[in-house]
Short mmCIF file of all heavy atoms in Angstrom, two decimals:
data_model
loop_
_atom_site.label_atom_id
_atom_site.label_comp_id
_atom_site.label_asym_id
_atom_site.label_seq_id
_atom_site.Cartn_x
_atom_site.Cartn_y
_atom_site.Cartn_z
N GLY A 46 79.29 -43.17 -73.48
CA GLY A 46 79.15 -44.58 -73.12
C GLY A 46 79.68 -44.88 -71.74
O GLY A 46 79.20 -44.34 -70.75
N GLU A 47 80.71 -45.71 -71.69
CA GLU A 47 81.29 -46.12 -70.41
C GLU A 47 82.51 -45.29 -70.04
O GLU A 47 83.25 -45.63 -69.13
CB GLU A 47 81.66 -47.60 -70.46
CG GLU A 47 82.81 -47.95 -71.37
CD GLU A 47 82.42 -48.16 -72.83
OE1 GLU A 47 81.29 -47.88 -73.23
OE2 GLU A 47 83.30 -48.61 -73.58
N GLN A 48 82.74 -44.17 -70.73
CA GLN A 48 83.88 -43.32 -70.43
C GLN A 48 83.46 -42.12 -69.60
O GLN A 48 82.42 -41.51 -69.83
CB GLN A 48 84.57 -42.84 -71.70
CG GLN A 48 85.26 -43.94 -72.44
CD GLN A 48 86.03 -43.43 -73.64
OE1 GLN A 48 86.03 -42.25 -73.94
NE2 GLN A 48 86.70 -44.34 -74.32
N VAL A 49 84.32 -41.78 -68.64
CA VAL A 49 84.09 -40.66 -67.75
C VAL A 49 85.31 -39.75 -67.83
O VAL A 49 86.45 -40.22 -67.76
CB VAL A 49 83.90 -41.15 -66.29
CG1 VAL A 49 83.75 -39.97 -65.34
CG2 VAL A 49 82.71 -42.08 -66.20
N ALA A 50 85.08 -38.46 -67.99
CA ALA A 50 86.17 -37.48 -67.99
C ALA A 50 86.26 -36.86 -66.60
O ALA A 50 85.25 -36.49 -66.01
CB ALA A 50 85.91 -36.39 -69.03
N VAL A 51 87.48 -36.79 -66.09
CA VAL A 51 87.74 -36.15 -64.80
C VAL A 51 88.69 -35.00 -65.07
O VAL A 51 89.79 -35.21 -65.58
CB VAL A 51 88.37 -37.14 -63.80
CG1 VAL A 51 88.62 -36.46 -62.46
CG2 VAL A 51 87.50 -38.38 -63.64
N LEU A 52 88.27 -33.78 -64.76
CA LEU A 52 89.09 -32.60 -64.99
C LEU A 52 89.68 -32.14 -63.67
O LEU A 52 88.94 -31.82 -62.74
CB LEU A 52 88.26 -31.49 -65.63
CG LEU A 52 87.56 -31.87 -66.93
CD1 LEU A 52 86.69 -30.73 -67.41
CD2 LEU A 52 88.57 -32.27 -67.98
N LEU A 53 91.01 -32.14 -63.60
CA LEU A 53 91.72 -31.76 -62.38
C LEU A 53 92.45 -30.45 -62.67
O LEU A 53 93.58 -30.46 -63.15
CB LEU A 53 92.71 -32.85 -61.96
CG LEU A 53 92.13 -34.26 -61.82
CD1 LEU A 53 93.24 -35.26 -61.54
CD2 LEU A 53 91.09 -34.30 -60.73
N SER A 54 91.82 -29.35 -62.40
CA SER A 54 92.36 -28.03 -62.71
C SER A 54 93.64 -27.77 -61.92
O SER A 54 93.71 -28.05 -60.72
CB SER A 54 91.31 -26.96 -62.39
OG SER A 54 91.81 -25.69 -62.65
N GLY A 55 94.65 -27.22 -62.60
CA GLY A 55 95.89 -26.85 -61.94
C GLY A 55 96.69 -28.03 -61.42
O GLY A 55 97.45 -27.88 -60.46
N THR A 56 96.55 -29.18 -62.04
CA THR A 56 97.20 -30.40 -61.58
C THR A 56 98.12 -30.93 -62.67
O THR A 56 97.71 -31.03 -63.82
CB THR A 56 96.14 -31.48 -61.23
OG1 THR A 56 95.24 -30.93 -60.28
CG2 THR A 56 96.77 -32.72 -60.67
N SER A 57 99.35 -31.26 -62.32
CA SER A 57 100.27 -31.84 -63.30
C SER A 57 99.91 -33.29 -63.54
O SER A 57 99.16 -33.91 -62.77
CB SER A 57 101.71 -31.75 -62.78
OG SER A 57 101.90 -32.67 -61.71
N VAL A 58 100.47 -33.86 -64.60
CA VAL A 58 100.24 -35.27 -64.90
C VAL A 58 100.68 -36.13 -63.71
O VAL A 58 99.95 -37.02 -63.28
CB VAL A 58 100.98 -35.70 -66.19
CG1 VAL A 58 100.97 -37.20 -66.36
CG2 VAL A 58 100.36 -35.04 -67.40
N GLY A 59 101.84 -35.85 -63.16
CA GLY A 59 102.33 -36.61 -62.02
C GLY A 59 101.41 -36.55 -60.82
O GLY A 59 101.18 -37.55 -60.14
N GLU A 60 100.87 -35.36 -60.56
CA GLU A 60 99.95 -35.20 -59.44
C GLU A 60 98.61 -35.89 -59.70
O GLU A 60 97.93 -36.30 -58.76
CB GLU A 60 99.70 -33.71 -59.17
CG GLU A 60 100.92 -32.97 -58.68
CD GLU A 60 100.72 -31.46 -58.70
OE1 GLU A 60 99.96 -30.96 -59.56
OE2 GLU A 60 101.36 -30.79 -57.87
N ALA A 61 98.21 -36.02 -60.95
CA ALA A 61 96.92 -36.62 -61.29
C ALA A 61 96.96 -38.14 -61.24
O ALA A 61 95.93 -38.78 -61.06
CB ALA A 61 96.48 -36.17 -62.68
N VAL A 62 98.14 -38.73 -61.38
CA VAL A 62 98.24 -40.19 -61.38
C VAL A 62 97.80 -40.77 -60.05
O VAL A 62 97.09 -41.78 -60.00
CB VAL A 62 99.68 -40.64 -61.73
CG1 VAL A 62 99.88 -42.12 -61.46
CG2 VAL A 62 99.98 -40.32 -63.19
N GLN A 63 98.17 -40.14 -58.94
CA GLN A 63 97.86 -40.69 -57.62
C GLN A 63 96.36 -40.82 -57.38
O GLN A 63 95.88 -41.91 -57.06
CB GLN A 63 98.54 -39.87 -56.52
CG GLN A 63 98.50 -40.49 -55.15
CD GLN A 63 97.26 -40.13 -54.35
OE1 GLN A 63 96.61 -39.12 -54.60
NE2 GLN A 63 96.90 -40.99 -53.41
N PRO A 64 95.54 -39.77 -57.54
CA PRO A 64 94.10 -39.97 -57.33
C PRO A 64 93.49 -40.92 -58.36
O PRO A 64 92.57 -41.68 -58.03
CB PRO A 64 93.50 -38.57 -57.43
CG PRO A 64 94.53 -37.71 -58.06
CD PRO A 64 95.85 -38.35 -57.78
N ALA A 65 94.01 -40.91 -59.59
CA ALA A 65 93.50 -41.85 -60.60
C ALA A 65 93.77 -43.29 -60.18
O ALA A 65 92.92 -44.16 -60.33
CB ALA A 65 94.13 -41.56 -61.96
N ASP A 66 94.95 -43.52 -59.62
CA ASP A 66 95.28 -44.88 -59.19
C ASP A 66 94.46 -45.30 -57.98
O ASP A 66 94.05 -46.46 -57.87
CB ASP A 66 96.77 -45.00 -58.90
CG ASP A 66 97.22 -46.44 -58.84
OD1 ASP A 66 96.88 -47.20 -59.77
OD2 ASP A 66 97.88 -46.82 -57.86
N VAL A 67 94.19 -44.37 -57.07
CA VAL A 67 93.34 -44.68 -55.91
C VAL A 67 91.94 -45.08 -56.40
O VAL A 67 91.39 -46.10 -55.95
CB VAL A 67 93.26 -43.48 -54.94
CG1 VAL A 67 92.16 -43.67 -53.91
CG2 VAL A 67 94.60 -43.26 -54.26
N VAL A 68 91.37 -44.32 -57.31
CA VAL A 68 90.05 -44.64 -57.85
C VAL A 68 90.10 -45.99 -58.55
O VAL A 68 89.22 -46.84 -58.36
CB VAL A 68 89.56 -43.53 -58.81
CG1 VAL A 68 88.35 -43.98 -59.59
CG2 VAL A 68 89.26 -42.26 -58.03
N ARG A 69 91.13 -46.24 -59.34
CA ARG A 69 91.26 -47.50 -60.06
C ARG A 69 91.32 -48.68 -59.09
O ARG A 69 90.60 -49.67 -59.25
CB ARG A 69 92.52 -47.50 -60.92
CG ARG A 69 92.73 -48.81 -61.71
CD ARG A 69 94.17 -48.99 -62.14
NE ARG A 69 95.12 -48.96 -61.06
CZ ARG A 69 95.40 -49.99 -60.24
NH1 ARG A 69 94.78 -51.13 -60.39
NH2 ARG A 69 96.28 -49.87 -59.29
N ARG A 70 92.13 -48.57 -58.04
CA ARG A 70 92.25 -49.68 -57.08
C ARG A 70 90.93 -49.94 -56.37
O ARG A 70 90.52 -51.10 -56.20
CB ARG A 70 93.35 -49.39 -56.06
CG ARG A 70 94.74 -49.66 -56.63
CD ARG A 70 95.83 -49.53 -55.60
NE ARG A 70 96.14 -48.11 -55.42
CZ ARG A 70 96.08 -47.46 -54.27
NH1 ARG A 70 95.73 -48.05 -53.16
NH2 ARG A 70 96.36 -46.17 -54.21
N HIS A 71 90.23 -48.89 -55.96
CA HIS A 71 88.94 -49.08 -55.28
C HIS A 71 87.89 -49.63 -56.24
O HIS A 71 87.12 -50.51 -55.86
CB HIS A 71 88.46 -47.77 -54.65
CG HIS A 71 89.20 -47.41 -53.42
ND1 HIS A 71 89.02 -48.06 -52.22
CD2 HIS A 71 90.16 -46.47 -53.20
CE1 HIS A 71 89.83 -47.53 -51.31
NE2 HIS A 71 90.53 -46.57 -51.89
N ALA A 72 87.84 -49.10 -57.46
CA ALA A 72 86.85 -49.57 -58.43
C ALA A 72 87.07 -51.04 -58.75
O ALA A 72 86.10 -51.80 -58.91
CB ALA A 72 86.92 -48.74 -59.71
#
Side-chain angles (χ1 to χ4, degrees):
E47 69 275 9
Q48 291 185 358
V49 176
V51 181
L52 304 176
L53 307 174
S54 179
T56 305
S57 71
V58 169
E60 294 168 330
V62 168
Q63 191 272 337
D66 196 49
V67 168
V68 168
R69 180 200 57 81
R70 281 186 280 123
H71 286 286

